[in-house]
């Protein structure tokens, strides 16, 4: 699991957490920026009527759009 939570630019009540494959025996370390092509994204949504963030879904290598999450 990466440390940063990513925002949806169109909707502040949708957030993304990225997971990467790592099979190392110890902690990983980042040395420079690189494009990631193989990752999972956990999408969470905060409904208007709730103070809780709810899991919407797990996606393979893409961030679901606002329309997809909100099912518009």
């Amino acid at each position: 699991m990466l440390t940063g939570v990513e925002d949806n630019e169109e909707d502040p009540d949708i957030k993304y957490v990225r997971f990467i494959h790592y099979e190392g025996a110890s902690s990983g370390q980042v040395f420079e920026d690189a494009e990631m092509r193989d990752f999972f994204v956990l999408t969470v949504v905060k409904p208007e009527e709730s103070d809780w963030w709810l899991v919407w879904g797990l996606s393979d290598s893409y961030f679901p759009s606002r329309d997809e999450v909100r099912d518009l």
Side-chain angles (χ1 to χ4, degrees):
M1 182 170 121
L2 298 182
T3 56
V5 174
E6 300 189 40
D7 297 328
N8 178 297
E9 294 180 8
E10 300 173 313
D11 190 330
D13 291 332
I14 298 173
K15 305 287 185 191
Y16 306 106
V17 179
R18 195 182 316 205
F19 291 82
I20 59 172
H21 298 282
Y22 180 71
E23 297 179 19
S26 62
S27 301
Q29 183 175 357
V30 176
F31 293 101
E32 63 184 60
D33 290 340
E35 181 180 346
M36 290 178 36
R37 295 184 187 154
D38 188 22
F39 57 92
F40 289 104
V41 175
L42 179 72
T43 302
V44 294
V45 180
K46 184 181 170 298
E48 287 183 26
E49 66 278 358
S50 176
D51 291 332
W52 295 91
W53 287 88
L54 306 175
V55 172
W56 176 83
L58 187 65
S59 307
D60 190 357
S61 301
Y62 83 101
F63 295 91
S65 69
R66 178 189 184 277
D67 290 345
E68 185 177 354
V69 173
R70 295 293 186 186
D71 201 24
L72 300 176

